[in-house]
Each structure stands twice: as structure tokens, then as C-alpha cells.
Amino acid sequence: MTPRLPRILRGAALLAALATLLPAAGAAASSTQESLFEDEFQLLQRGPAAQNFALNDITRLGADGIRSLVVWNTLAPRPQAKRAPRNFDARNPAAYPATAWDRYDDLVRGAQARGLSVLLSPSTPIPAWASGCKGSATARRACKPSPSRFGAFVRALGTRYSGSYADENQGGGVLPRVTRWSILNEPNQFGWLAPQYVSVRGRRVAYAAVHYRRLATAAIAALRATGHGSDQILLGETAPIGRATGTLARRPIPPVEFIRTLFCIDSAGRRLRGRAARLAGCRGGGRLRVTGYAHHPYTRGGSQPPRARTLPGEITVSTAGRLKRLLTQGARAGRVPRSLPIWYTEFGYQTNPPDRIFGVTLAEQARYINEADWIAFRDGRVKSVAQYKLHDEPDVTSFQTGVRFTNGNVKPAYDAYRLPIWVTRRGGGVRVYGQVRPAADGATEAVEIQHSSGGGFETVQTVTVSSKRGHFLQTVTGRTGGTWRLRWVPAGGGTPVHSRIAQAARR
């Protein structure tokens, strides 16, 4: 979850004949890109009824899986104490309060019952006794987490969700296995890992990246020790922006700089040497045994269009080339495996209403979500798109990126998410990208491409969608103006679903 930005930053041709249209056969794309949802407030904090409603809603929307933070200090005993409890074995799930696990256990069980994958992200804030800093519990909540103690915590998670661990309460029974993990949340933001920078003999060092490498190494070892060595393990979970001002300790590190330091490379992609390598803690470090890189490609905190201009150190949905270049350089330096896939695990757009300072309009949110879908679809390296959140949060200064308002009413983005559409001009016609998200993997569904020149909509093509996750890309000739939408009736029957109404864009 990206901390909110400071408030000073916010802000035709007619159809010739149906026979001239290209046939629908073979129109389906082969994309296996997954759709992920995240909303800890609904899924973990509001109780079992809200959790069940949210899981059912996410399933109806057609998501493939959910991501959830597992916050260390919500599970650890005596999290405000400066000394760890006596005889506490942090590697053992049974050493933690049994009831503290319940909401996570319920989430994993509920997701499995609905066919949703689960990505767990063990993360800060931390118990005060696990900090390498002095001061109050508040001052310690993200400050220099102990890598060994973080590794022990991850080991407890890996053991609990190994597929062979019996629940201590709630009727017992073996808990489901989790096979997807990512390490920490937005370590290049002060609220999640501190300090961000330190000064060593007058030289600024991106300390959070150095320390994150230690935490990631400990977490990977813990997962491998608990039988998760062949699982999906994602590095990063980085936020898209940094800052050039503020105190060093609190100044968020731009992701490009953070990743370079993490991989021990310079701005040209060469391995750090000498003093630079020593300051970045690169000596003796080996390859991080991960299967992908996770990133949150917001554009200015979800307040700007997908293709809005960015600063050189930022990585957004439209500047993924920067991340791919860094991953290639990191692989050459021996820090990560080659050709790591990219997973977008958190993403969304603030809306006005209710956020009257940073929000975009409701129609813009729907359009931007679909444009981001299209951008990601075209990039074969990107393996997931994400939606954060399901509902807006009650605190208007927090995230208002939901596809529902706080009262449960749906925004236009709800249908835009369920049935994405993006139309681009192509010669004497258009190219229509779409997805039937709720379609079952491998199922054959029929979706209608509809066009309007100012009156009602008429179907100009019917596309048979049989790709793994309902994607298709279809060319329609003879029409360029007007508006477009998709109409889908589930194969098993039911109420027709419509996409948002789209106009053809240039790209």
C-alpha cells in the first residue's frame, strides 16, 4: 500500500457489410496474465461476514487470486515490548496466539474453496523487540528489523501453510498449502522500512535497499527450509516513486535507485566495486533465489493517467522498460535469475468522489483501469495485473481506489474491471482488446463487440473467447468513429454484462 502523497503534489465510416468484417475464428489471445485483488480492510479487518462477501465479490468479478499482507506485529506476542517474550520460539506457529491466526486461516481456506490463489506477503510493521533501533515502540515499528527474527517469523508462516499443519483451534483440521509468497511491502517507503537513507562519511547510502537484501535472504532461506523452495517467491513489492527532499532517514528511495543498490550495480549496470560495494553491503552476497519481481506501478499515487509523464527514477505502468532493464542488469551481475517475470501486485486509481483533492473522475477511473490492462497485456514479461481495493476506505485521507464506495454501491470501474475494453484505431478500422474476466479457465465464451454511431448499439462481431483467462484481440474493419462496448451473456445463462462505453484511442 503506497503511502498517500503530500497534498501539494495531488492533483466515421459506416459499416460496408457484416461480410467484410474479419472472422472471429482465431481471435482469442494466448495471454496467461493473471488478475489479482487486494483489500486487507475487507478481507481481514472487518470480520468473517465482510470477508465472505468480499471473497464472493472478487470471484464474481473474475479475479484469479488475492494478495494479502501478513503484518508481523499483528501476530507476534507482546508487540509493544522491547524484549522478546521468554522462551518464545518464533519459528513455531504454535508459539503465537492461536486466535491471531484465525483471520489468515479463514482467508486461506475461503480462497481455496473458491478457486482463488493466495499470495502472502510477510511484512512490517514489526514487534518492538525485533528492531535494531532504540526509542519507543512507535519509533521501532519499521526500523532495522532483525533479519534472523524476520526469518523465524517467515519460517512460522511457511510451516503453518505447508499443507500439513493442523489448526490449533476452529475445529482443527489441516490448513491449506500456500504456494505464493512475496517479501515485505514497499521497502522503499519510510512507513514500511527505516531508515531509508543514511550518511556514511559524507556519502549518502540507500540503506533500506541494503537492509532489504538481508531480510529477503533470510525470508527465502526460511521458505526453503519449510518445503516452499519450489514455490513462487517474489522479490521487491516496490513502490513506484521516491522523493528528492526531506530528511535522509524518511526520504523515500526512488525504485530505480533502490533496485540498483539491491542488485549491487551502478547506473550503467556494472557491478559495484571498492568503497561503493562495501557501503552497499555487496561483499559475499550471492544470487537471490526468487521466481519473479513484484512492483506497484501507480502513477502519482493513482491520481494521474497511466501514460502521464514520470521522473527518471520512477517506475509506473507505462515505464516498465526501466524495470526490465534493471532486472536484466541484475541478472548479468549474478544477483537474480535471468528473465525474471514481473508481477504487478498492487495498483489502482483514487476517485472523486470521495477524494476531492487527489481523485480522478469515476469515468476516468474506469478508463484508466482498462488502459492499464491494455498496456500490461501487450507486455509479455508482465504476468499479473492488480486491483487495490474492493471498497473505498472509511477514512477519506486513505485509499479511495475501490470499485465500490464505502456503502457498497458500485462505481463504473466495477463493470470496467469485470469486462475490460480498450479500442485503438487501426487503418480503416479499429482493434478491440477485451477480456471476459469471469470466464472459467479454458471455457469457451461468446462476447459481442457492439458499436454505436450515436443511436443504439448494434453487434458487429461475436468473438469466441477460449483463451486461458478470457483475453482477446480482434480487428473490426469499416468503422472508426462512434463508441464501442462489449456485451457478454454467461454461457450458463444470466443477466447480460456490459463493459464501459469506449472511444477509439490512438494507442
Side-chain angles (χ1 to χ4, degrees):
M1 293 171 281
T2 308
R4 293 295 296 272
L5 295 172
R7 292 186 177 267
I8 60 172
L9 295 181
R10 294 278 184 129
L14 295 175
L15 179 66
L18 286 177
T20 65
L21 301 179
L22 293 180
S30 59
S31 175
T32 58
Q33 196 173 81
E34 297 186 33
S35 301
L36 303 180
F37 237 101
E38 181 183 359
D39 191 330
E40 283 88 1
F41 188 69
Q42 299 296 322
L43 290 171
L44 294 176
Q45 298 174 27
R46 293 195 60 212
Q51 183 184 84
N52 282 324
F53 178 88
L55 287 172
N56 287 337
D57 208 20
I58 290 168
T59 303
R60 282 191 297 269
L61 282 163
D64 300 293
I66 56 172
R67 175 191 177 226
S68 177
L69 303 186
V70 185
V71 177
W72 190 358
N73 72 1
T74 65
L75 285 166
R78 298 182 60 202
Q80 301 297 311
K82 296 179 182 179
R83 291 181 179 273
R86 271 189 174 186
N87 303 318
F88 171 58
D89 182 3
R91 301 167 300 175
N92 181 5
Y96 296 77
T99 54
W101 290 108
D102 287 349
R103 56 184 180 171
Y104 295 104
D105 295 345
D106 290 345
L107 180 64
V108 172
R109 288 191 188 101
Q112 183 191 60
R114 293 165 175 84
L116 297 169
S117 66
V118 176
L119 169 62
L120 293 183
S121 300
S123 187
T124 55
I126 66 176
W129 46 259
S131 173
C133 298
K134 297 180 180 180
S136 67
T138 300
R140 298 177 182 219
R141 68 191 304 272
C143 192
K144 297 183 181 180
S146 163
S148 62
R149 286 179 165 172
F150 182 64
F153 168 59
V154 175
R155 188 160 182 156
L157 277 175
T159 299
R160 190 170 192 88
Y161 301 115
S162 62
S164 59
Y165 189 87
D167 190 1
E168 300 89 351
N169 61 350
Q170 297 194 105
V174 174
L175 291 163
R177 178 179 173 84
V178 172
T179 60
R180 291 183 161 182
W181 309 86
S182 63
I183 303 166
L184 225 66
N185 185 68
E186 298 192 347
N188 60 324
Q189 299 289 308
F190 171 77
W192 297 100
L193 189 58
Q196 287 285 292
Y197 290 102
V198 296
S199 180
V200 180
R201 296 178 182 175
R203 185 161 180 169
R204 189 183 71 183
V205 178
Y207 179 82
V210 179
H211 200 69
Y212 177 72
R213 190 189 313 119
R214 299 168 184 152
L215 295 170
T217 299
I220 293 165
L223 290 170
R224 295 181 67 82
T226 51
H228 297 279
S230 60
D231 286 3
Q232 175 183 303
I233 302 176
L234 304 181
L235 190 68
E237 294 290 0
T238 37
I241 62 174
R243 199 171 296 162
T245 58
T247 60
L248 289 180
R250 292 174 170 267
R251 186 187 305 175
I253 304 170
V256 168
E257 182 183 358
F258 182 92
I259 296 168
R260 282 177 182 154
T261 305
L262 174 63
F263 292 165
C264 296
I265 56 177
D266 63 17
S267 59
R270 297 171 300 217
R271 293 183 185 181
L272 295 178
R273 300 187 183 280
R275 186 187 180 202
R278 291 194 299 273
L279 290 175
C282 298
R283 289 190 170 183
R287 177 177 297 184
L288 294 165
R289 302 172 73 175
V290 293
T291 63
Y293 191 93
H295 185 63
H296 306 168
Y298 295 98
T299 307
R300 289 283 140 185
S303 65
Q304 296 292 320
R307 299 184 192 273
R309 290 191 176 190
T310 63
L311 297 175
E314 299 175 353
I315 301 173
T316 65
V317 71
S318 65
T319 57
R322 296 171 182 173
L323 178 54
K324 288 186 281 190
R325 184 164 52 253
L326 289 165
L327 293 177
T328 297
Q329 292 170 342
R332 287 175 183 164
R335 293 296 173 172
V336 288
R338 293 185 180 277
S339 303
L340 277 183
I342 295 169
W343 294 77
Y344 294 152
T345 52
E346 184 186 318
F347 186 68
Y349 288 94
Q350 305 279 138
T351 64
N352 175 13
D355 186 340
R356 302 192 181 280
I357 297 176
F358 305 120
V360 302
T361 69
L362 298 177
E364 285 173 334
Q365 181 197 34
R367 184 169 76 251
Y368 295 164
I369 285 174
N370 285 174
E371 184 176 6
D373 289 336
W374 166 239
I375 294 169
F377 171 80
R378 298 173 68 189
D379 190 337
R381 190 90 172 258
V382 175
K383 299 305 178 185
S384 71
V385 294
Q387 170 57 34
Y388 182 81
K389 311 175 54 96
L390 183 62
H391 290 239
D392 289 342
E393 291 197 6
D395 180 0
V396 74
T397 66
S398 187
F399 270 82
Q400 309 303 324
T401 53
V403 295
R404 290 183 182 271
F405 292 105
T406 53
N407 64 6
N409 290 342
V410 299
K411 301 179 184 179
Y414 189 94
D415 284 337
Y417 180 90
R418 183 163 48 169
L419 202 62
I421 183 174
W422 191 255
V423 184
T424 51
R425 297 185 183 92
R426 189 176 180 86
V430 297
R431 183 168 55 178
V432 180
Y433 159 73
Q435 184 184 6
V436 185
R437 273 204 170 101
D441 286 356
T444 299
E445 298 279 352
V447 59
E448 300 169 25
I449 299 174
Q450 297 189 325
H451 178 259
S452 172
S453 296
F457 281 92
E458 63 175 321
T459 299
V460 295
Q461 274 197 30
T462 299
V463 180
T464 300
V465 178
S466 56
S467 68
K468 185 170 176 60
R469 289 188 167 83
H471 297 273
F472 70 88
L473 183 60
Q474 186 75 3
T475 299
V476 179
T477 60
R479 300 192 185 202
T480 56
T483 55
W484 302 82
R485 75 178 184 186
L486 303 178
R487 181 181 184 271
W488 170 63
V489 180
T495 303
V497 176
H498 294 98
S499 70
R500 68 181 180 89
I501 296 173
Q503 291 182 315
R506 288 180 295 177
R507 56 179 180 170

